[in-house]
């Protein structure tokens, strides 16, 4: 039995072919030379970070972005080889790469498989080309189909497809159509998120904070209203469950045994270490993020200075903050949280901290109790942002 502590690695690739109109992630276009410089620096960071992880064993790796598949495949291979060289990686580790249709080739997929990547996440968002255009996506549904087929041919038997509802111009029928077209392909995992209008994006300028589709949208298609968005969410749950997918988290569905282990780690309090520009970590009792300015990041000397100049916003996790995270992250899972686990971790029962709130939420039909577990009801999931915010303790 391995006595080392489990660790998840997140590797950020900030490059993309074109910024989508809704995206507020740390991503941008860059010349090939800049991409090469970034990967060289990332390899140095991986080596330096490994010195802090001798007591850990990596159970999952997630290469995200941006669009990781925009890189030359030899760069992805170099990243994986360096991780395996300097970290102890479990033989059965789940290793995922995000990819956008239109950026995948058979050669890339073969190299991904060859360096141990065993899960691919395809960013489709919609099966309607008009909706894809409204989002600013660079691909068509037909290109997605080609990419999906190539992934299967390359031997990927754990594939996630990202879908997004409540899009500009989207109707109940077009959303149903997207769900049906994707389910017909039988991917092992489907992430079905609702569009959120984020600040500092073109969508924010057009649709505003309240997501309205008022006069300032001009020729841009309107957003679905709140009732339609709620119906889309209900349709998603009902249809995907009919197709054999189990909802195991608010927005994630999987065939049995194909739940995303990496994301489950986030929701259940696993330690994770972020590598690369702007990535976040929850590691050794602290939360922190990496430098977000590319020019500054590329100038860091990890061999001379270590990692202290890389890390920003370092916050020590308190007992109170860990309790909060246990609840509002764990309750995202459909199986909810366990009082046994809470008591083992904190030495007190959940109700001794949250009893009054739990009783009120149960009385209002937003939570339910099964044995030692607490979970959200379907209605609670519908208004999960409100329910989860009830478990914040700071300021009380």
């Amino acid at each position: 039995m391995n006595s080392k502590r489990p660790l998840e690695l997140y590797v950020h690739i900030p490059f993309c072919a074109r910024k989508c109109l809704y995206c507020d992630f740390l991503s941008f276009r860059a010349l090939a030379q800049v991409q090469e410089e970034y990967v060289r620096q990332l390899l140095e960071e991986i080596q330096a970070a490994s010195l802090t992880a001798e007591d850990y064993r990596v159970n999952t790796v997630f290469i995200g972005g941006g669009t990781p598949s925009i890189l030359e495949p030899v760069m992805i291979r170099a990243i994986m080889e360096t991780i395996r060289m300097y970290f102890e990686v479990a033989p059965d580790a789940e290793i995922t790469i995000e990819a956008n249709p239109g950026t995948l080739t058979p050669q890339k997929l073969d190299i991904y498989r060859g360096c141990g990547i065993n899960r691919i996440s395809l960013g489709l968002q919609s099966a309607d080309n008009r909706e894809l255009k409204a989002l600013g996506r660079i691909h068509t549904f037909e290109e997605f189909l080609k990419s999906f087929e190539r992934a299967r041919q390359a031997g990927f038997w754990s594939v996630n497809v990202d879908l997004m509802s409540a899009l500009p111009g989207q109707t109940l029928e077009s959303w149903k159509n997207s769900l049906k077209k994707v389910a017909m392909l039988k991917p092992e995992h489907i992430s079905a998120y609702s569009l959120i209008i984020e600040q500092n994006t073109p969508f924010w300028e057009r649709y505003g904070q309240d997501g309205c589709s008022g006069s300032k949208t001009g020729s841009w298609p309107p957003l679905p209203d709140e009732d339609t968005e709620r119906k889309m969410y209900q349709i998603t749950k009902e249809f995907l469950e009919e197709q054999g997918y189990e909802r195991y988290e608010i927005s994630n569905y999987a065939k049995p045994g194909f739940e995303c282990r990496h994301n489950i780690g986030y929701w259940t309090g696993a330690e994770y270490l972020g590598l690369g520009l702007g990535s976040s970590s929850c590691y050794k009792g602290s939360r922190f993020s990496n430098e977000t300015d590319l020019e500054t990041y590329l100038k860091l000397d990890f061999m001379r200075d270590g990692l202290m100049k890389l890390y920003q916003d370092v916050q020590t996790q308190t007992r109170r903050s860990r309790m909060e995270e246990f609840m509002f992250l764990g309750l995202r899972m459909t199986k909810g949280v366990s009082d046994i686990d809470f008591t083992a971790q904190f030495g007190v029962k959940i109700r001794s901290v949250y009893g009054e709130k739990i009783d009120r939420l149960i009385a209002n039909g937003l939570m339910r109790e099964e044995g030692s577990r607490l979970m959200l009801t379907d209605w609670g999931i519908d208004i999960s942002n409100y329910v989860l915010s009830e478990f914040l303790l700071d300021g009380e």
Side-chain angles (χ1 to χ4, degrees), residues 16 23 33 63 140 144 156 173 188 203 224 281 289 332 345:
C16 54
C23 179
Q33 179 182 346
I63 305 173
T140 64
F144 161 78
F156 282 94
E173 286 306 312
E188 287 68 34
F203 270 18
S281 301
S289 56
R332 292 188 60 89
Q345 188 166 340

Side-chain angles (χ1 to χ4, degrees), residues 233-270:
Y233 188 84
Q234 190 62 30
I235 287 169
T236 305
K237 176 180 181 293
E238 293 173 356
F239 176 76
L240 291 182
E241 286 182 350
E242 288 173 0
Q243 302 302 309
Y245 293 90
E246 178 183 350
R247 182 176 66 179
Y248 67 97
E249 189 270 344
I250 289 175
S251 301
N252 285 275
Y253 299 78
K255 297 285 189 179
F258 287 95
E259 298 83 359
C260 179
R261 289 163 51 193
H262 186 85
N263 285 344
I264 288 175
Y266 289 152
W267 301 317
T268 55

Side-chain angles (χ1 to χ4, degrees), residues 52-64:
T52 72
E54 293 180 354
D55 296 331
Y56 290 83
R57 189 188 205 197
V58 175
N59 288 336
T60 71
V61 180
F62 196 102
I63 305 173

Side-chain angles (χ1 to χ4, degrees), residues 75 83-84 159 183 186 206 211 291 299 331 346 390:
M75 297 183 188
I83 287 173
R84 291 185 182 280
V159 177
K186 302 187 186 314
R206 293 287 177 166
E291 172 63 53
K299 291 179 180 177
L331 284 170
F346 301 110
E390 286 287 283

